[in-house]
Amino acid sequence: MVGQSPLEPSESRTAVLLEPFVHQVGGHMSMMKYDEHTVCKPLVSQELSFYESLPLAMRQFTPQYKGIVSVHLKKDSLGNLTLLASPSLQTESCGRLDNAISDSSVTIWHKCKWAASTGTGSEHTCVKWSHTQLTKTFKDSCPGKMLLRTDLQYHTDSLLEDANRNQPERNSYNPWGLHCHRQHLNRMSSKHNENKLHQFLLLENVVSKYNYPCILDLKMGTRQHGDDASEEKKARHIKKCEQSTSASLGVRICGMQVYQADTGHFLCKDKYYGRKLSPEGFRQTLRQFLCNGNHLRTDLLEPIILRLKALLSVIRKQSSYRFYSSSLLIIYDGQEHKENTAPLDNHLHFQKTNCTASHGTNHSRVDVRMIDFAHTTFKGSKCNHTTHDGPDHGYIFGLENLIKILQNISEGK
């Protein structure tokens, strides 16, 4: 339990106040932090079915599934909202839980209103951390996470874009997770009463081991709609694919954050940016993801390519699986080892993508993980609507093109 509470010690071990997961760069469902190594998201039966029957060969490429937790929404008289997770949250215990939630020392976040910096005078609802939580929860956090979180309280720029619909290049935190979090909480508070218990999936936090987690979220495949999609939704997704690199490359950028060593900030992009990219724009953004503001992280290319090739080999062997609308995360630590750091060039700006190359002697640790399986189907699935034959060729097409582009970057093409 975070902070002090009137709960008994035995109870406080089971009740967890959820925090927004500040490293969410894509998707539309709000991800929450359960503990340092665990995140949670609203349960979708089709995704649960996937994790419960996950092929052994795929486990190294997916977050570890850790179970299900019940989540309770609480709103106080001031409109402050709190999410409390418990493996066995019972109605009769809610009285004591209410006392815990109302304690100001454990208020995780609350809704606040602020004027947009565009000068329009319009108000927006955003997420704001309590001052108490900043000092209590994050004082022992790693530097990269502190950089993201402490700025939440003081940042006053528009969450996603300015008045001209341009994204600010220089963000000190990733705003997309806050955008999803705000929408999700508004839906929960408007559609459900406080006694409603919501089921969430507990999953491994795949970026917990990184000091400055650089994350690229890629929507994979040439088709994004699930088998159960309505005709209207199907047409909408087909159009998105046709108008983006999903059709031409089998992959499109759905979100990104990359640490800029020259500014000490994260550069962030969201799915709307990714949808507008041409194949060449996709390539340049992929290069930008590997640029820390001073130089290109060429030390990352070989380990990323090898990991993608290993995933490709596994996907080719998975008959009947279709990973519609799933994402692929490429992750690395923005904090370099000293032997991998090139001399600082003050003339290079972090927004540029034509960084000079840095040839490190040691490979930095990288990771590649598949996420989001709400529309994944396979033979034997409890929620299967259609049985497909052979591997997911759209996903394979995307992986092959991704590998090819990274190889070209590695060869200086």
Side-chain angles (χ1 to χ4, degrees):
M1 193 68 152
V2 180
Q4 298 177 349
S5 87
L7 291 176
E8 296 298 323
S10 60
E11 294 171 314
S12 64
R13 284 195 295 269
T14 61
V16 177
L17 283 163
L18 301 179
E19 307 168 9
F21 182 58
V22 295
H23 293 305
Q24 180 178 355
V25 302
H28 66 276
M29 281 190 174
S30 178
M31 299 291 296
M32 304 294 293
K33 177 186 171 184
Y34 184 81
D35 60 37
E36 196 61 37
H37 302 287
T38 311
V39 295
C40 58
K41 63 185 293 191
L43 186 152
V44 175
S45 58
Q46 202 158 331
E47 185 164 34
L48 175 61
S49 178
F50 170 81
Y51 278 112
E52 287 179 336
S53 56
L54 184 64
L56 183 62
M58 290 186 63
R59 289 182 185 174
Q60 63 171 310
F61 296 107
T62 59
Q64 179 189 356
Y65 166 59
K66 298 187 176 186
I68 299 171
V69 67
S70 295
V71 174
H72 174 72
L73 176 70
K74 174 65 181 177
K75 181 187 291 187
D76 66 17
S77 58
L78 299 176
N80 298 329
L81 296 171
T82 310
L83 285 180
L84 189 79
S86 174
S88 56
L89 184 59
Q90 302 297 328
T91 305
E92 58 266 25
S93 67
C94 286
R96 287 193 299 269
L97 294 175
D98 285 352
N99 292 332
I101 294 169
S102 64
D103 184 350
S104 62
S105 67
V106 294
T107 300
I108 294 299
W109 48 264
H110 62 85
K111 291 199 296 183
C112 64
K113 288 191 173 182
W114 47 277
S117 60
T118 58
T120 61
S122 60
E123 290 188 331
H124 301 268
T125 303
C126 69
V127 174
K128 182 177 180 180
W129 292 92
S130 71
H131 182 73
T132 306
Q133 281 310 122
L134 284 172
T135 56
K136 288 194 175 193
T137 308
F138 304 138
K139 62 182 180 180
D140 299 320
S141 295
C142 62
K145 293 177 182 177
M146 282 296 292
L147 175 68
L148 286 166
R149 288 169 174 158
T150 54
D151 283 344
L152 292 182
Q153 190 170 4
Y154 309 109
H155 199 80
T156 56
D157 286 349
S158 176
L159 277 182
L160 295 176
E161 56 193 26
D162 61 23
N164 298 318
R165 300 189 66 80
N166 294 317
Q167 286 184 289
E169 287 284 338
R170 197 179 175 114
N171 282 327
S172 50
Y173 64 87
N174 196 308
W176 186 253
L178 300 183
H179 168 73
C180 296
H181 190 62
R182 179 186 65 192
Q183 288 191 329
H184 181 232
L185 291 168
N186 286 341
R187 286 195 300 267
M188 285 182 71
S189 60
S190 62
K191 291 183 179 180
H192 306 288
N193 61 44
E194 294 179 25
N195 295 323
K196 169 79 173 177
L197 288 181
H198 305 266
Q199 298 297 300
F200 277 51
L201 287 178
L202 290 172
L203 299 169
E204 174 191 2
N205 176 3
V206 296
V207 303
S208 62
K209 61 187 176 184
Y210 299 99
N211 289 323
Y212 295 85
C214 300
I215 308 165
L216 183 66
D217 185 321
L218 299 168
K219 188 74 74 173
M220 300 299 296
T222 53
R223 169 181 157 176
Q224 300 303 325
H225 61 277
D227 289 329
D228 59 342
S230 65
E231 287 302 315
E232 187 260 339
K233 187 174 183 179
K234 179 179 176 180
R236 191 169 68 247
H237 280 281
I238 290 174
K239 186 176 180 181
K240 286 178 187 176
C241 289
E242 290 174 345
Q243 295 178 341
S244 69
T245 55
S246 290
S248 56
L249 297 176
V251 55
R252 75 170 182 260
I253 289 170
C254 198
M256 181 177 86
Q257 71 176 37
V258 53
Y259 181 67
Q260 302 296 292
D262 60 339
T263 66
H265 291 162
F266 283 87
L267 171 67
C268 304
K269 301 289 186 182
D270 66 24
K271 68 180 182 181
Y272 300 110
Y273 173 86
R275 284 182 195 170
K276 300 173 185 176
L277 293 174
S278 64
E280 177 57 26
F282 178 90
R283 180 186 178 279
Q284 290 300 325
T285 305
L286 201 57
R287 182 182 172 91
Q288 188 176 43
F289 173 66
L290 298 167
C291 177
N292 71 357
N294 298 321
H295 53 260
L296 189 68
R297 294 287 304 275
T298 54
D299 58 299
L300 302 171
L301 284 162
E302 184 181 349
I304 290 174
I305 291 169
L306 288 174
R307 185 110 170 115
L308 288 171
K309 285 183 174 179
L311 173 60
L312 177 59
S313 177
V314 169
I315 296 297
R316 282 174 171 160
K317 297 172 184 175
Q318 303 307 315
S319 181
S320 84
Y321 277 83
R322 294 295 180 273
F323 302 99
Y324 301 135
S325 199
S326 73
S327 285
L328 185 67
L329 299 183
I330 299 178
I331 311 163
Y332 70 89
D333 200 332
Q335 187 175 51
E336 292 183 87
H337 298 296
K338 289 183 179 180
E339 61 269 23
N340 286 344
T341 306
L344 178 66
D345 184 349
N346 291 323
H347 297 292
L348 285 173
H349 192 271
F350 79 102
Q351 293 181 11
K352 295 183 179 179
T353 59
N354 57 336
C355 300
T356 56
S358 166
H359 299 279
T361 55
N362 293 334
H363 287 161
S364 297
R365 184 167 56 183
V366 303
D367 206 352
V368 170
R369 300 291 187 104
M370 302 172 70
I371 61 168
D372 296 341
F373 304 103
H375 301 286
T376 294
T377 66
F378 55 95
K379 186 178 181 180
S381 169
K382 299 173 186 176
C383 310
N384 198 17
H385 298 275
T386 305
T387 300
H388 301 275
D389 294 323
D392 189 331
H393 293 290
Y395 200 105
I396 291 170
F397 178 64
L399 275 177
E400 289 174 338
N401 282 316
L402 183 58
I403 291 168
K404 191 183 302 180
I405 293 169
L406 288 168
Q407 286 175 331
N408 287 339
I409 294 174
S410 180
E411 295 165 7
K413 296 179 181 177

